């Protein structure tokens, strides 16, 4: 969950900005901080060079003139000035470092929020598309296409429950062909269907964990499977595969699970529509017979 920036955090950022010398910035940027850091160390280097020059001058002047200038006390004063300059630079650098961390965290949170808003937008669009389709075959293709778009997946499949089996109804990419049947409890999809729990797979699936695995010709680095459940009734399983070199995360799995809830609702509605249409067709077929009789 994204953390909302508290007023105290904002005040801390502004305080560090004032300490660092960024008084002209209500909301300082990382670029402004880096520019201020360069200015700070340029001034510090100039000040230390001046102090070093004074120390050298004091060390080479004759003893009589050095006595008139205060001798060792002048050198001590110069060293004190150098120490104060160092402490000043250290305080400014510490403030800049804190400010850099705060602004970096802010950018990370902003990027995460942007990604979340994009994901929510895709979920809403996908929900609209799925709810506008009542033909089951077309709906399953729409579900799979939107799931792959949401998660940048290269392929996957939608499997529906028929009797005690899962039957592959829609495919994308190099996966099992349509019509492939898997018993509930067998393989990854069967495991997900039986337990009704989403699963994230990294690398090759464990045959001990998922008995009855089907051998794949195409290796997948990362994959996810989620159950499609509507009102406690299992509709099927949605599977997606990541492109080579990329791994899905738990965050991706949660996003797919949310998507799966909408998909299960759409599938249930499409099946209900098909059942009603078949019922109406049967009534229309019986009507001429009754009239003839």
């Amino acid at each position: 969950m994204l953390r909302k920036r508290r007023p105290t955090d904002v005040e801390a950022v502004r305080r560090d900005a004032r300490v660092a010398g960024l008084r002209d910035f209500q909301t300082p940027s990382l670029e402004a901080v880096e520019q201020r850091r360069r200015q700070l160390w340029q001034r510090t280097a100039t000040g230390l060079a001046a102090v070093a020059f004074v120390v050298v001058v004091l060390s080479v002047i004759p003893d009589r003139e050095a006595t008139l200038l205060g001798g060792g006390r002048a050198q001590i004063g110069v060293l004190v000035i150098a120490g104060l300059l160092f402490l000043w630079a250290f305080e400014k650098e510490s403030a800049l470092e804190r400010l850099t961390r705060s602004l970096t965290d802010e950018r990370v949170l902003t990027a995460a929020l942007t990604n979340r808003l994009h994901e929510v937008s895709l979920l809403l669009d996908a929900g609209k598309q799925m709810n506008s389709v009542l033909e089951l075959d077309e709906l399953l293709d729409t579900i799979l296409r939107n799931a792959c778009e949401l998660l940048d997946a290269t392929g996957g499949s939608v499997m529906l429950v028929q009797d005690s089996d899962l039957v592959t109804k829609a495919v994308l990419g190099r996966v099992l062909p349509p019509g492939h049947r898997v018993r509930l409890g067998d393989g990854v999809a069967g495991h997900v269907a039986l337990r009704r729990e989403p699963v994230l797979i990294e690398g090759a699936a464990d045959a001990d964990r998922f008995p009855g695995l089907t051998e794949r010709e195409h290796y997948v680095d990362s994959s996810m499977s989620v159950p499609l459940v509507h009102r406690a009734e299992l509709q099927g399983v949605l599977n997606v595969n990541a492109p080579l070199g990329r791994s899905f995360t738990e965050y991706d799995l949660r996003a797919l699970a949310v998507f799966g809830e909408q998909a299960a609702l759409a599938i249930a509605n499409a099946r209900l529509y098909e059942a009603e249409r078949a019922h109406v067709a049967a009534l229309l077929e019986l009507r001429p017979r009754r009239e003839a009789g």
Side-chain angles (χ1 to χ4, degrees):
M1 181 178 292
L2 297 179
R3 177 178 63 87
K4 184 179 180 181
R5 195 182 228 192
R6 300 189 300 270
T8 53
D9 296 333
V10 176
E11 289 302 320
V13 169
R14 291 178 178 174
R15 183 177 60 253
D16 288 336
R18 288 194 297 270
V19 171
L22 293 168
R23 295 181 177 82
D24 296 333
F25 296 90
Q26 280 293 100
T27 306
S29 64
L30 285 173
E31 292 74 14
V33 170
E34 289 304 317
Q35 182 179 1
R36 177 58 182 165
R37 180 175 276 116
R38 288 193 296 269
Q39 293 175 353
L40 169 66
W41 289 112
Q42 287 173 358
R43 293 177 183 178
T44 303
T46 302
L48 291 176
V51 169
F53 176 76
V54 172
V55 171
V56 171
V57 170
L58 290 176
S59 65
V60 299
I61 61 176
D63 292 339
R64 182 180 301 175
E65 295 181 9
T67 302
L68 294 176
L69 293 173
R73 284 181 295 179
Q75 293 183 349
I76 293 174
V78 171
L79 292 177
V80 169
I81 292 174
L84 292 175
L85 178 62
F86 174 79
L87 291 176
W88 173 81
F90 179 79
E91 179 189 13
K92 300 293 184 184
E93 176 59 29
S94 297
L96 288 171
E97 183 65 27
R98 291 193 300 270
L99 193 56
T100 298
R101 287 197 298 267
S102 297
L103 294 175
T104 300
D105 291 343
E106 185 71 13
R107 284 196 173 184
V108 170
L109 290 173
T110 300
L113 178 60
T114 300
N115 290 337
R116 177 64 63 87
L117 290 175
H118 177 65
E119 177 187 294
V120 170
S121 176
L122 288 176
L123 282 172
L124 290 175
D125 290 342
K128 291 178 182 178
Q129 291 185 37
M130 288 187 292
N131 290 326
S132 65
V133 178
L134 290 176
E135 295 291 339
L136 185 58
D137 291 340
E138 182 182 353
L139 171 63
L140 298 179
D141 289 334
T142 301
I143 289 173
L144 185 55
R145 185 176 64 253
N146 279 284
C148 291
E149 180 181 354
L150 173 66
L151 296 161
D152 293 327
T154 55
S157 63
V158 180
M159 309 175 77
L160 297 184
V161 175
Q162 288 186 1
D163 300 324
S164 59
D165 292 341
L166 286 172
V167 181
T168 303
K169 292 294 186 177
V171 297
L172 182 63
R174 297 172 60 185
V175 294
L176 297 174
H180 180 80
R181 303 181 74 92
V182 174
R183 289 187 305 173
L184 296 182
D186 284 356
V188 176
H191 173 93
V192 170
L194 191 63
R195 294 177 177 267
R196 300 192 180 189
E197 295 177 354
V199 167
L200 170 63
I201 304 294
E202 294 292 339
D206 185 0
D208 294 332
R209 181 184 178 190
F210 306 108
L213 275 173
T214 302
E215 299 244 349
R216 290 186 177 184
E217 296 180 1
H218 180 57
Y219 177 76
V220 177
D221 280 337
S222 182
S223 63
M224 296 185 295
S225 298
V226 297
L228 302 175
V229 180
H230 176 61
R231 293 184 178 178
E233 182 178 353
L234 180 67
Q235 303 292 328
V237 174
L238 172 61
N239 312 290
V240 293
N241 301 325
L244 291 177
R246 185 198 163 194
S247 295
F248 287 131
T249 64
E250 291 290 338
Y251 179 80
D252 295 324
L253 186 63
R254 288 195 296 272
L256 186 62
V258 172
F259 177 87
E261 294 175 1
Q262 298 186 55
L265 171 60
I267 291 172
N269 289 337
R271 282 179 155 175
L272 180 61
Y273 170 76
E274 285 196 342
E276 291 294 333
R277 188 172 61 176
H279 180 64
V280 170
L283 290 177
L284 292 175
E285 185 179 349
L286 289 174
R287 183 176 179 180
R289 296 179 183 177
R290 290 178 179 175
E291 292 177 351

